[in-house]
Amino acid sequence: DADVTQTPRNRITKTGKRIMLECSQTKGHDRMYWYRQDPGLGLRLIYYSFDVKDINKGEISDGYSVSRQAQAKFSLSLESAIPNQTALYFCATSDFRDGTYEQYFGPGTRLTVT
Amino acid sequence: AQTVTQSQPEMSVQEAETVTLSCTYDTSESDYYLFWYKQPPSRQMILVIRQEAYKQQNATENRFSVNFQKAAKSFSLKISDSQLGDAAMYFCASRGGSQGNLIFGKGTKLSVKP
């Protein structure tokens, strides 16, 4: 089984709808991240969390919110989706104790906002 | 702010030949890590190789090696004996400060010709 899972894998939604992307991990890592990938722009950080009570904004947090329900779960919400939020979204984890900050990625969620 | 620059949006290589992907970075950190990730059409982010900045020796993983020039802030990836399965997007990334997130370049799309 995959160590980092994301649901759904693909989603089409309409402008103005609220949508939640979910991420779960079995790696036991403390740190979790949400990134957004757009063609030609690479991956950019939306939010990150060091533990359940420590959540921080990243480079492009406007229009997004997150919830760390447990060490293993980190959800990303779009309160009112807009077309320019159409992108590939990745969840990632890392282990502070590892010292290398290598990130382990989920399979991604392809989101389309029409 | 930390930045990572990949100046080659696309590259092409003949099967069994060698190709080098370029990456430059800028960081104020004294201790940092650099990464190359591969993203095949399946869109999964796969770690190819990792370099610790304090190590002089260039990292190597089978057919993949890096040329790390710390003073020039350059971190290129060399793929030897290219295979059809190497065709993918390649992202260069650096660890972005205490929050541990990665700063990504915009990516290089590698095509492998049979």
Side-chain angles (χ1 to χ4, degrees):
Chain A
D1 290 339
D3 296 318
V4 184
T5 58
Q6 291 183 235
T7 55
R9 293 294 311 277
N10 297 280
R11 180 72 181 267
I12 300 173
T13 192
K14 293 185 182 298
T15 298
K17 293 292 187 181
R18 184 178 189 276
I19 182 168
M20 179 182 289
L21 309 183
E22 298 185 335
C23 175
S24 295
Q25 53 119 344
T26 58
K27 301 188 74 66
H29 289 172
D30 52 347
R31 299 186 172 197
M32 298 186 74
Y33 306 83
W34 277 104
Y35 292 93
R36 166 179 172 161
Q37 182 182 0
D38 297 279
L41 294 180
L43 281 74
R44 293 177 292 166
L45 183 67
I46 306 173
Y47 270 94
Y48 63 100
S49 171
F50 286 177
D51 64 38
V52 174
K53 296 182 180 180
D54 187 356
I55 294 176
N56 304 277
K57 293 182 178 181
E59 177 187 355
I60 54 167
S61 61
D62 287 349
Y64 302 94
S65 62
V66 292
S67 173
R68 185 86 181 262
Q69 301 95 323
Q71 188 198 33
K73 296 183 182 295
F74 192 38
S75 300
L76 176 72
S77 293
L78 287 67
E79 297 302 325
S80 179
I82 57 176
N84 76 359
Q85 291 178 313
T86 293
L88 183 56
Y89 291 85
F90 283 101
C91 175
T93 72
S94 70
D95 188 354
F96 173 73
R97 296 163 297 179
D98 176 74
T100 69
Y101 298 99
E102 178 180 339
Q103 303 223 332
Y104 298 82
F105 286 84
T109 295
R110 172 78 65 188
L111 177 66
T112 302
V113 184
T114 62
Chain B
Q2 299 198 22
T3 59
V4 176
T5 302
Q6 293 179 250
S7 59
Q8 306 152 317
E10 296 187 17
M11 292 282 287
S12 180
V13 63
Q14 204 73 29
E15 194 175 8
E17 297 295 311
T18 295
V19 65
T20 298
L21 308 184
S22 300
C23 174
T24 58
Y25 64 93
D26 191 15
T27 179
S28 58
E29 301 284 327
S30 58
D31 182 22
Y32 54 92
Y33 289 81
L34 299 165
F35 304 85
W36 278 98
Y37 279 86
K38 170 185 178 182
Q39 186 182 44
S42 67
R43 79 194 188 199
Q44 180 69 49
M45 295 291 286
I46 302 166
L47 180 66
V48 174
I49 200 164
R50 176 181 64 220
Q51 175 76 44
E52 299 159 69
Y54 67 87
K55 288 189 175 180
Q56 299 286 344
Q57 188 173 6
N58 290 325
T60 298
E61 290 288 342
N62 300 312
R63 299 183 294 107
F64 299 87
S65 61
V66 299
N67 183 5
F68 175 47
Q69 301 289 330
K70 191 172 183 178
K73 295 185 176 178
S74 172
F75 182 59
S76 60
L77 175 70
K78 186 173 81 171
I79 306 174
S80 303
D81 185 25
S82 296
Q83 301 175 1
L84 296 177
D86 295 333
M89 283 290 290
Y90 286 83
F91 292 98
C92 179
S94 70
R95 180 173 70 91
S98 60
Q99 62 266 31
N101 65 289
L102 298 180
I103 306 297
F104 286 87
K106 294 182 179 182
T108 297
K109 183 177 181 180
L110 178 66
S111 301
V112 181
K113 298 179 180 178

